[in-house]
């Protein structure tokens, strides 16, 4: 719809310019009524819900309104001394207006309207946001010696009359806590309390309850970007970086879990009191998936793990003598679901960071491994839904060869079925190897 409106608008303005040049008229009733009709047509599309109104349409709507108002004034005003026609002026005005139309539609093209992924559960889902301050940790990214503060958001059944399992999510390297909102909503609609964490300075941006905005730390961003390039870091340096990232992530996740569990014990009549503290799952995308696997090694109250497209950083050991990275030799006994895109699947047997992820690793012989063929790394988040262009840019122009709704909805279904099986003892879980 966005592209169609852009094309129709540009064609209309081109037709007006050609008509003006052909008739040698800078003003005409045809031009006026065309622009008025364009504004009325857009408003009718909006009122008829053909165009789903979002703030991203604001600039374009204002442009159409200004043009329509200008032409209404021109129709009502009697022109006594018409300006001398200049073809070059008409051409320049047409080019300027064309550029203006494109610019005002950029927000819509970047974030086009889309349908929400299906929600299949019986519960109406509500949300809540909180900011937790960890009095035992100093914020390492600032010089003020502030305490580490973490922002979280809950998705849970609105009418929760019993207790439900707790699921803790960690976003990717540059992600945000809303990165997999469709997944959280689907899980909550089936009776789960999902809490997603913003890791300050690791997340693209995060906003606390008091309105404080924290954006991604440039040094951390550079570290991650360099780690994905050959030759920037030695193997030892790369290993140290991954362990540093895991430490911050798992500390955040563990702190949030402890805070929630403490609140659940103390406030039985609050939202927290609806959480089943004996059934806990963790999951995450990319670096968040790696942190989820790592955290499950550290705590004994985690009952199930979902890793979405991440290397097992916590399962690696670095040998300084041989300058090699190897996998640990400790069995993983917690139910684990690995969901992989093409981007990661092709690295399982070729990239050292993924040595522990290999299907042949006996320590993870009971893990479920699923490959979404044709999917890219961000296909397993909601980003391709609300900004396909941005997703393609972050994939360096490499488009996913999988339907974006099929990818996210199928993943949501698999994660739901896995947690139902592992935490609620409901049904069986036997996923296909490839989707």
């Amino acid at each position: 719809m966005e592209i169609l409106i852009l094309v129709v608008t540009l064609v209309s303005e081109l037709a007006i310019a050609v008509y003006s040049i052909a008739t040698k008229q800078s003003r005409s009733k045809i031009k006026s009524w065309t622009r008025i009709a364009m504004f009325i047509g857009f408003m009718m599309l909006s009122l008829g819900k053909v165009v789903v109104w979002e703030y991203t349409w604001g600039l374009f709507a204002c442009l159409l309104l200004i043009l329509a108002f200008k032409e209404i004034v021109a129709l009502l005003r009697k022109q006594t001394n018409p300006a001398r026609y200049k073809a070059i002026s008409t051409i320049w005005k047409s080019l300027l207006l064309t550029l203006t139309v494109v610019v005002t539609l950029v927000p819509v093209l970047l974030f086009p309207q889309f349908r929400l992924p299906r929600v299949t559960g019986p519960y109406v889902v509500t949300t809540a946001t909180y900011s937790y301050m960890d009095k035992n940790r100093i914020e390492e990214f600032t010089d003020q010696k502030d305490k580490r503060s973490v922002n979280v958001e809950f998705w849970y059944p609105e009418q929760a009359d019993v207790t439900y399992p707790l699921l803790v999510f960690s976003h990717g390297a540059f992600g945000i806590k809303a990165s997999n909102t469709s997944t959280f909503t689907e899980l909550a609609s089936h009776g789960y309390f999902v809490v997603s964490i913003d890791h300050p300075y690791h997340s693209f941006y995060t906003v606390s309850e008091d309105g404080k905005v924290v954006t991604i730390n440039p040094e951390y961003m550079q570290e991650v970007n360099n780690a994905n390039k050959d030759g920037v870091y030695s193997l030892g340096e790369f290993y140290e970086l991954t362990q540093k990232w895991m430490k911050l992530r798992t500390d955040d996740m563990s702190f949030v879990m402890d805070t929630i569990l403490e609140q659940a014990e103390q406030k039985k009549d609050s939202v927290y009191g609806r959480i089943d503290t004996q059934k806990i799952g963790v999951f995450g995308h990319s670096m968040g998936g790696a942190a989820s696997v790592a955290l499950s090694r550290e705590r004994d109250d985690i009952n199930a793990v979902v890793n979405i497209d991440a290397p097992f950083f916590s399962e690696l050991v670095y040998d300084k003598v041989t300058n090699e990275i190897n996998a640990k030799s400790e069995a993983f006994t917690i139910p684990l679901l690995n969901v992989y895109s093409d981007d990661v699947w092709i690295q399982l047997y070729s990239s050292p960071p993924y040595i522990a992820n290999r299907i042949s690793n006996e320590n993870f012989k009971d893990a479920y491994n699923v490959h979404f063929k044709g999917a890219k790394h961000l296909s397993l988040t909601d980003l391709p839904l609300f900004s396909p262009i941005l997703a393609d840019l972050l994939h360096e122009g490499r488009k996913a060869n999988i339907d974006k709704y099929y990818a996210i909805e199928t993943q949501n279904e698999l994660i739901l079925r896995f947690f139902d099986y592992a935490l609620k003892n409901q049904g069986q879980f036997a996923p296909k190897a490839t989707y």
Side-chain angles (χ1 to χ4, degrees):
M1 177 56 66
E2 297 80 10
I3 298 296
L4 179 60
I5 288 177
L6 173 62
V7 171
V8 169
T9 304
L10 293 181
V11 169
S12 298
E13 289 300 331
L14 177 62
I16 289 173
V18 171
Y19 178 80
S20 297
I21 294 173
T23 60
K24 296 183 178 182
Q25 296 180 27
S26 59
R27 293 182 181 178
S28 69
K29 290 185 177 181
I30 292 179
K31 181 179 77 171
S32 296
W33 284 114
T34 299
R35 286 180 174 168
I36 293 170
M38 287 166 60
F39 175 72
I40 294 173
F42 179 76
M43 294 306 298
M44 290 179 65
L45 290 174
S46 298
L47 294 173
K49 305 298 183 182
V50 176
V51 170
V52 179
W53 179 259
E54 296 284 351
Y55 69 91
T56 51
W57 285 106
L59 290 175
F60 181 69
C62 286
L63 176 63
L64 292 184
L65 175 61
I66 292 170
L67 292 175
F69 179 77
K70 179 183 175 182
E71 298 304 333
I72 290 173
V73 172
L75 288 174
L76 295 176
R77 186 175 59 191
K78 292 183 178 180
Q79 190 172 357
T80 56
N81 297 310
R84 183 180 177 185
Y85 173 76
K86 295 181 181 179
I88 190 67
S89 176
T90 299
I91 293 173
W92 276 112
K93 287 180 180 179
S94 178
L95 290 174
L96 181 61
L97 186 55
T98 297
L99 178 61
T100 305
V101 168
V102 173
V103 169
T104 59
L105 280 172
V106 164
V108 184
L109 296 173
L110 280 176
F111 303 99
Q113 65 187 54
F114 65 96
R115 74 167 177 84
L116 294 172
R118 63 174 178 264
V119 178
T120 63
Y123 296 103
V124 175
V125 177
T126 191
T127 64
T129 57
Y130 299 98
S131 295
Y132 300 147
M133 179 174 290
D134 189 346
K135 297 180 181 179
N136 297 318
R137 285 193 296 158
I138 299 296
E139 180 54 74
E140 63 184 70
F141 289 99
T142 63
D143 298 326
Q144 286 90 19
K145 301 301 181 183
D146 298 325
K147 298 297 183 181
R148 176 76 171 170
S149 181
V150 180
N151 304 317
V152 303
E153 186 165 3
F154 283 94
W155 283 259
Y156 59 95
E158 186 175 50
Q159 300 296 327
D161 48 4
V162 296
T163 58
Y164 302 102
L166 173 67
L167 302 178
V168 182
F169 181 86
S170 176
H171 60 72
F174 308 146
I176 56 175
K177 67 178 184 288
S179 66
N180 285 66
T181 295
S182 69
T183 313
F184 311 150
T185 306
E186 174 68 355
L187 289 166
S189 77
H190 283 270
Y192 287 94
F193 264 74
V194 185
V195 58
S196 182
I197 303 170
D198 258 341
H199 299 279
Y201 301 100
H202 272 208
S203 60
F204 188 69
Y205 75 94
T206 181
V207 183
S208 62
E209 284 185 287
D210 62 5
K212 180 182 178 181
V213 178
V214 174
T215 56
I216 191 168
N217 177 262
E219 292 181 7
Y220 160 73
M221 190 173 184
Q222 190 64 50
E223 287 175 354
V224 175
N225 286 331
N226 287 340
N228 289 318
K229 300 175 183 177
D230 294 332
V232 178
Y233 295 121
S234 68
L235 210 53
E237 289 171 334
F238 172 79
Y239 175 78
E240 292 300 326
L241 281 175
T242 61
Q243 303 315 300
K244 180 181 72 171
W245 299 334
M246 289 300 96
K247 177 77 166 57
L248 181 135
R249 292 296 186 107
T250 56
D251 283 352
D252 281 352
M253 295 175 75
S254 196
F255 162 65
V256 168
M257 284 181 60
D258 288 341
T259 301
I260 292 172
L261 295 178
E262 180 181 348
Q263 293 292 324
E265 290 298 324
Q266 294 178 356
K267 301 180 179 179
K268 298 293 186 181
D269 58 342
S270 69
V271 169
Y272 294 102
R274 303 171 187 175
I275 296 172
D276 186 341
T277 59
Q278 302 304 309
K279 296 179 180 179
I280 301 174
V282 293
F283 65 131
H285 174 257
S286 195
M287 195 177 291
S292 297
V293 173
L295 186 67
S296 67
R297 289 288 204 186
E298 298 177 6
R299 301 180 63 112
D300 58 8
D301 55 355
I302 294 174
N303 310 112
V305 184
V306 175
N307 162 43
I308 305 173
D309 231 26
F312 298 160
F313 286 139
S314 60
E315 301 299 311
L316 304 177
V317 290
Y318 174 65
D319 189 325
K320 294 182 180 179
V321 176
T322 61
N323 190 36
E324 291 179 336
I325 285 181
N326 299 300
K328 291 180 179 178
S329 57
E330 181 183 351
F332 192 89
T333 58
I334 302 171
L336 170 66
L337 168 63
N338 295 310
V339 182
Y340 295 121
S341 71
D342 282 354
D343 288 341
V344 169
W345 187 256
I346 61 176
Q347 298 186 69
L348 294 187
Y349 284 88
S350 62
S351 179
Y354 292 91
I355 189 171
N357 293 68
R358 293 176 179 176
I359 310 302
S360 58
N361 187 348
E362 282 295 311
N363 294 320
F364 291 88
K365 62 181 180 180
D366 294 326
Y368 300 94
N369 297 290
V370 171
H371 171 210
F372 277 80
K373 193 172 183 179
K376 294 299 180 184
H377 189 54
L378 294 172
S379 300
L380 305 179
T381 71
D382 289 345
L383 182 60
L385 303 183
F386 64 83
S387 186
I389 292 177
L390 185 55
D392 288 342
L393 287 174
L394 293 174
H395 287 140
E396 298 179 347
R398 297 173 292 115
K399 291 189 176 183
N401 294 317
I402 190 172
D403 180 78
K404 57 188 177 182
Y405 284 100
Y406 172 79
I408 197 66
E409 289 178 342
T410 304
Q411 176 184 251
N412 293 350
E413 178 190 0
L414 283 172
I415 293 175
L416 170 64
R417 285 168 46 203
F418 171 75
F419 281 132
D420 280 349
Y421 169 72
L423 298 180
K424 295 183 177 181
N425 297 317
Q426 294 180 357
Q428 298 296 315
F429 186 68
K432 296 187 298 183
T434 305
Y435 287 86

